Each structure stands twice: as C-alpha cells, then as structure tokens.
C-alpha cells in the first residue's frame, strides 16, 4: 500500500518550490529512470521513484555576476545533505511510513558522492538505483537542471508514473493471489 503518491509530493508547495529550483524535468526524468531500474534491480519502485523525484531538492543556486556558476557549485555544494533532510520532513508531513521515509532520505543522501571525501561507498540497492537514474539523465555542465516543462505537462507525467507504480503492485498482487 502506498501512503503517499508522487502526485501528493509534486503538488505540495514546498516540493513545488524546490523541484522548480533544482530542475523539474530532470526530477521527473530521473523518477522514470528509477522506475525502470527498480524493476531490473528488484527494488521497490514506489521508494525508488519518490527518492528519484526528490533527489535534488536540496540544491542551492550558485551564481557569479548573475550567471549560474557550475564550478562554484561543484566546489561548494552539499545538496544531497540538505535534500535528504527536506525530503524526510516532507514525506513524514504527508503521512509516509517513517521507515520508508528514512530509506528514501538515505537514498537521496547517497545519490552522489560530490560532497564526500575521497573513498568508495557500498550502496544498498535502492541507493544504487537512484544514483544510476540520476547519472542516466545528467548533461555536461549541469544543464539537465535547466530544461523547462509547463506545470500541466509535468503533473500529467507524474500521474502517469503513479499509474505505472500502481500497476506494478496490482500485477504483483495478482501473482500472489493465483
């Protein structure tokens, strides 16, 4: 059972603010990638799509003289830390199961190693799926954060992804009832 749907997340005012700031098209594209990868990796697609949709909501805009400064961002950014906290708060506020909210927040925290000291992380499957989904949609110089999409089209894509996740569970439930 899904306590919180992607549509619930998308329509929340805080999510609207941060998804716009971090790149709505990238967030939705990454969520779709995560859905596909979740099926391939045996990961819960509900958790994967939520983590992927929210993975960049911790972004801060780094500007120099009114222009986006990608090198400044790469040097100073800790968006995964802030995003994990924001996502956890939002999920709990909307009624997500606390254990699932924590799992989603940890996947967001570990979707990138850009803020970590040198080293190698051993990611859990959900964390790996979100990281791979993010990488699959990246563009050089952070341009993936600047693709535009109108609100109605974005909402329709989110609703379609909710239906895909629902269908996954319906199919799974049918297999178990036979």
């Amino acid at each position: 059972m899904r306590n919180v749907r992607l549509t619930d997340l998308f329509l929340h005012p805080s999510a609207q603010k941060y998804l716009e700031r971090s790149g709505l098209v990238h967030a939705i594209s990454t969520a779709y990638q995560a859905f596909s990868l979740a099926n391939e990796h045996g990961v819960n697609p509900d958790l994967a799509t939520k983590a992927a949709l929210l993975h960049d909501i911790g972004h801060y805009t780094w500007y120099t003289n009114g222009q986006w400064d990608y090198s400044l961002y790469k040097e100073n950014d800790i968006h995964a830390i802030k995003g994990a906290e924001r996502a956890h708060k939002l999920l709990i506020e909307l009624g997500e199961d606390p254990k699932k909210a924590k799992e989603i927040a940890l996947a967001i925290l570990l979707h990138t190693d850009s803020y970590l000291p040198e080293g190698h992380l051993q990611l859990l499957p959900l964390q790996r799926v979100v990281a791979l989904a993010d990488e699959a949609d990246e563009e050089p110089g952070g341009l993936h954060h600047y693709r535009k999409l109108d609100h109605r089209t974005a909402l329709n894509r989110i609703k379609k992804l909710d239906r895909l996740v629902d269908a996954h569970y319906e199919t799974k439930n049918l297999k178990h009832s036979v």
Side-chain angles (χ1 to χ4, degrees), residues 1-2 9 37 45 58 81 89 114 144 149:
M1 184 176 135
R2 300 172 68 201
L9 292 169
L37 289 164
I81 297 168
K89 180 179 177 181
S114 65
H144 53 283
L149 187 66

Side-chain angles (χ1 to χ4, degrees), residues 4-139:
V4 177
R5 299 172 59 76
L6 295 165
T7 305
D8 301 326
L9 292 169
F10 177 74
L11 293 174
H12 191 281
S14 293
Q16 287 282 304
K17 173 184 173 181
Y18 296 123
L19 287 169
E20 277 296 324
R21 178 188 294 172
S22 63
L24 182 56
V25 175
H26 173 59
I28 294 171
S29 296
T30 303
Y32 271 90
Q33 290 281 352
F35 178 78
S36 296
L37 289 164
N39 290 324
E40 291 174 25
H41 292 266
V43 168
N44 180 325
D46 182 44
L47 302 184
T49 55
K50 288 173 184 171
L53 181 68
L54 300 174
H55 79 281
D56 277 345
I57 66 170
H59 267 291
Y60 177 79
T61 49
W62 295 97
Y63 288 94
T64 302
N65 299 322
Q67 297 293 316
W68 168 249
D69 189 332
Y70 186 68
S71 62
L72 192 62
Y73 153 74
K74 290 300 282 182
E75 183 179 333
N76 299 298
D77 186 64
I78 58 167
H79 78 276
I81 297 168
K82 188 68 174 173
E85 184 270 334
R86 284 179 179 157
H88 188 263
K89 180 179 177 181
L90 176 62
L91 288 159
I92 294 296
E93 182 180 314
L94 288 172
E96 184 62 82
D97 174 86
K99 289 179 183 171
K100 290 179 180 179
K102 180 179 179 181
E103 197 173 347
I104 292 165
L106 288 173
I108 292 168
L109 176 66
L110 298 172
H111 84 274
T112 181
D113 61 2
S114 65
Y115 63 93
L116 296 173
E118 295 298 316
H120 182 70
L121 290 175
Q122 294 293 324
L123 298 178
L124 297 175
L126 174 62
Q127 297 160 358
R128 187 175 312 106
V129 161
V130 175
L132 289 170
D134 182 35
E135 290 171 13
D137 193 60
E138 285 183 354
E139 294 178 25

